mmCIF file of all heavy atoms in Angstrom:
data_model
loop_
_atom_site.group_PDB
_atom_site.id
_atom_site.type_symbol
_atom_site.label_atom_id
_atom_site.label_comp_id
_atom_site.label_asym_id
_atom_site.label_seq_id
_atom_site.Cartn_x
_atom_site.Cartn_y
_atom_site.Cartn_z
ATOM 1 N N ARG A 536 26.157 28.714 142.840
ATOM 2 C CA ARG A 536 27.012 28.710 141.645
ATOM 3 C C ARG A 536 28.433 29.152 141.983
ATOM 4 O O ARG A 536 29.405 28.640 141.418
ATOM 5 C CB ARG A 536 26.403 29.622 140.578
ATOM 6 C CG ARG A 536 27.278 29.807 139.347
ATOM 7 C CD ARG A 536 26.517 30.471 138.211
ATOM 8 N NE ARG A 536 25.979 31.758 138.552
ATOM 9 C CZ ARG A 536 26.651 32.904 138.515
ATOM 10 N NH1 ARG A 536 27.946 32.888 138.168
ATOM 11 N NH2 ARG A 536 26.080 34.054 138.820
ATOM 12 N N ILE A 537 28.556 30.102 142.901
ATOM 13 C CA ILE A 537 29.878 30.596 143.288
ATOM 14 C C ILE A 537 30.578 29.612 144.234
ATOM 15 O O ILE A 537 31.770 29.315 144.076
ATOM 16 C CB ILE A 537 29.776 31.978 143.953
ATOM 17 C CG1 ILE A 537 29.140 33.001 142.992
ATOM 18 C CG2 ILE A 537 31.148 32.452 144.423
ATOM 19 C CD1 ILE A 537 29.913 33.240 141.736
ATOM 20 N N ILE A 538 29.847 29.099 145.199
ATOM 21 C CA ILE A 538 30.452 28.251 146.230
ATOM 22 C C ILE A 538 30.726 26.832 145.728
ATOM 23 O O ILE A 538 31.759 26.242 146.044
ATOM 24 C CB ILE A 538 29.558 28.223 147.487
ATOM 25 C CG1 ILE A 538 29.479 29.633 148.085
ATOM 26 C CG2 ILE A 538 30.074 27.228 148.513
ATOM 27 C CD1 ILE A 538 28.460 29.786 149.201
ATOM 28 N N GLN A 539 29.805 26.268 144.965
ATOM 29 C CA GLN A 539 29.983 24.948 144.355
ATOM 30 C C GLN A 539 30.448 23.867 145.355
ATOM 31 O O GLN A 539 31.578 23.366 145.276
ATOM 32 C CB GLN A 539 30.982 25.030 143.198
ATOM 33 C CG GLN A 539 30.448 25.660 141.947
ATOM 34 C CD GLN A 539 29.367 24.799 141.294
ATOM 35 O OE1 GLN A 539 29.493 23.582 141.156
ATOM 36 N NE2 GLN A 539 28.279 25.440 140.901
ATOM 37 N N PRO A 540 29.598 23.473 146.290
ATOM 38 C CA PRO A 540 29.965 22.358 147.176
ATOM 39 C C PRO A 540 30.265 21.110 146.340
ATOM 40 O O PRO A 540 29.578 20.842 145.347
ATOM 41 C CB PRO A 540 28.698 22.159 148.017
ATOM 42 C CG PRO A 540 27.982 23.468 147.944
ATOM 43 C CD PRO A 540 28.248 23.999 146.568
ATOM 44 N N ALA A 541 31.289 20.378 146.714
ATOM 45 C CA ALA A 541 31.705 19.206 145.939
ATOM 46 C C ALA A 541 31.633 17.944 146.786
ATOM 47 O O ALA A 541 31.666 17.989 148.020
ATOM 48 C CB ALA A 541 33.133 19.406 145.411
ATOM 49 N N GLN A 542 31.528 16.828 146.112
ATOM 50 C CA GLN A 542 31.407 15.539 146.789
ATOM 51 C C GLN A 542 32.607 15.285 147.707
ATOM 52 O O GLN A 542 33.753 15.575 147.360
ATOM 53 C CB GLN A 542 31.300 14.407 145.764
ATOM 54 C CG GLN A 542 31.031 13.036 146.376
ATOM 55 C CD GLN A 542 30.638 12.016 145.319
ATOM 56 O OE1 GLN A 542 30.113 12.384 144.271
ATOM 57 N NE2 GLN A 542 30.873 10.741 145.605
ATOM 58 N N ASP A 543 32.309 14.758 148.878
ATOM 59 C CA ASP A 543 33.297 14.367 149.891
ATOM 60 C C ASP A 543 33.993 15.546 150.560
ATOM 61 O O ASP A 543 34.885 15.347 151.382
ATOM 62 C CB ASP A 543 34.352 13.423 149.302
ATOM 63 C CG ASP A 543 33.747 12.115 148.794
ATOM 64 O OD1 ASP A 543 32.761 11.651 149.403
ATOM 65 O OD2 ASP A 543 34.252 11.582 147.792
ATOM 66 N N GLN A 544 33.603 16.752 150.243
ATOM 67 C CA GLN A 544 34.210 17.903 150.920
ATOM 68 C C GLN A 544 33.664 18.035 152.348
ATOM 69 O O GLN A 544 32.531 17.662 152.641
ATOM 70 C CB GLN A 544 33.935 19.196 150.159
ATOM 71 C CG GLN A 544 34.791 19.389 148.925
ATOM 72 C CD GLN A 544 34.601 20.770 148.310
ATOM 73 O OE1 GLN A 544 33.575 21.423 148.467
ATOM 74 N NE2 GLN A 544 35.608 21.227 147.574
ATOM 75 N N LYS A 545 34.502 18.595 153.211
ATOM 76 C CA LYS A 545 34.074 18.953 154.559
ATOM 77 C C LYS A 545 33.842 20.463 154.566
ATOM 78 O O LYS A 545 34.745 21.244 154.263
ATOM 79 C CB LYS A 545 35.136 18.568 155.591
ATOM 80 C CG LYS A 545 35.326 17.069 155.756
ATOM 81 C CD LYS A 545 36.286 16.762 156.903
ATOM 82 C CE LYS A 545 35.658 17.139 158.241
ATOM 83 N NZ LYS A 545 36.528 16.761 159.393
ATOM 84 N N ILE A 546 32.602 20.858 154.903
ATOM 85 C CA ILE A 546 32.207 22.267 154.793
ATOM 86 C C ILE A 546 31.638 22.744 156.125
ATOM 87 O O ILE A 546 30.797 22.085 156.728
ATOM 88 C CB ILE A 546 31.163 22.451 153.670
ATOM 89 C CG1 ILE A 546 31.716 21.923 152.335
ATOM 90 C CG2 ILE A 546 30.767 23.919 153.542
ATOM 91 C CD1 ILE A 546 30.699 21.927 151.215
ATOM 92 N N LEU A 547 32.094 23.911 156.552
ATOM 93 C CA LEU A 547 31.621 24.524 157.786
ATOM 94 C C LEU A 547 30.909 25.823 157.457
ATOM 95 O O LEU A 547 31.421 26.631 156.680
ATOM 96 C CB LEU A 547 32.803 24.812 158.712
ATOM 97 C CG LEU A 547 32.537 25.690 159.942
ATOM 98 C CD1 LEU A 547 31.687 24.942 160.965
ATOM 99 C CD2 LEU A 547 33.852 26.154 160.573
ATOM 100 N N GLU A 548 29.721 26.025 158.022
ATOM 101 C CA GLU A 548 29.065 27.327 157.885
ATOM 102 C C GLU A 548 28.933 27.967 159.257
ATOM 103 O O GLU A 548 28.357 27.390 160.182
ATOM 104 C CB GLU A 548 27.686 27.227 157.232
ATOM 105 C CG GLU A 548 27.071 28.616 157.069
ATOM 106 C CD GLU A 548 25.753 28.657 156.330
ATOM 107 O OE1 GLU A 548 25.243 27.592 155.938
ATOM 108 O OE2 GLU A 548 25.227 29.775 156.146
ATOM 109 N N MET A 549 29.455 29.190 159.380
ATOM 110 C CA MET A 549 29.368 29.955 160.618
ATOM 111 C C MET A 549 28.081 30.783 160.629
ATOM 112 O O MET A 549 27.727 31.405 159.635
ATOM 113 C CB MET A 549 30.573 30.890 160.742
ATOM 114 C CG MET A 549 31.922 30.195 160.655
ATOM 115 S SD MET A 549 32.187 29.045 162.012
ATOM 116 C CE MET A 549 32.145 30.169 163.407
ATOM 117 N N ASP A 550 27.387 30.799 161.774
ATOM 118 C CA ASP A 550 26.174 31.614 161.915
ATOM 119 C C ASP A 550 25.206 31.378 160.750
ATOM 120 O O ASP A 550 25.118 32.170 159.822
ATOM 121 C CB ASP A 550 26.532 33.096 161.995
ATOM 122 C CG ASP A 550 27.201 33.447 163.318
ATOM 123 O OD1 ASP A 550 27.148 32.637 164.246
ATOM 124 O OD2 ASP A 550 27.782 34.544 163.415
ATOM 125 N N ILE A 551 24.449 30.300 160.819
ATOM 126 C CA ILE A 551 23.717 29.797 159.655
ATOM 127 C C ILE A 551 22.471 30.587 159.280
ATOM 128 O O ILE A 551 21.870 30.323 158.238
ATOM 129 C CB ILE A 551 23.311 28.317 159.853
ATOM 130 C CG1 ILE A 551 22.449 28.166 161.123
ATOM 131 C CG2 ILE A 551 24.531 27.450 159.890
ATOM 132 C CD1 ILE A 551 21.883 26.787 161.316
ATOM 133 N N GLY A 552 22.033 31.532 160.113
ATOM 134 C CA GLY A 552 20.802 32.241 159.759
ATOM 135 C C GLY A 552 19.636 31.266 159.724
ATOM 136 O O GLY A 552 19.411 30.517 160.665
ATOM 137 N N ASN A 553 18.901 31.237 158.623
ATOM 138 C CA ASN A 553 17.776 30.311 158.508
ATOM 139 C C ASN A 553 18.144 29.024 157.772
ATOM 140 O O ASN A 553 17.276 28.211 157.478
ATOM 141 C CB ASN A 553 16.597 30.987 157.804
ATOM 142 C CG ASN A 553 16.895 31.308 156.350
ATOM 143 O OD1 ASN A 553 18.025 31.153 155.876
ATOM 144 N ND2 ASN A 553 15.894 31.772 155.629
ATOM 145 N N GLY A 554 19.430 28.836 157.472
ATOM 146 C CA GLY A 554 19.852 27.620 156.781
ATOM 147 C C GLY A 554 19.428 27.560 155.329
ATOM 148 O O GLY A 554 19.530 26.516 154.678
ATOM 149 N N GLY A 555 18.977 28.703 154.804
ATOM 150 C CA GLY A 555 18.400 28.723 153.462
ATOM 151 C C GLY A 555 19.330 28.273 152.356
ATOM 152 O O GLY A 555 18.874 27.677 151.374
#
Side-chain angles (χ1 to χ4, degrees):
R536 174 168 58 83
I537 300 298
I538 296 171
Q539 285 293 315
Q542 186 168 334
D543 298 327
Q544 283 187 335
K545 292 186 68 176
I546 303 174
L547 169 70
E548 182 175 2
M549 304 296 298
D550 289 346
I551 58 174
N553 67 353

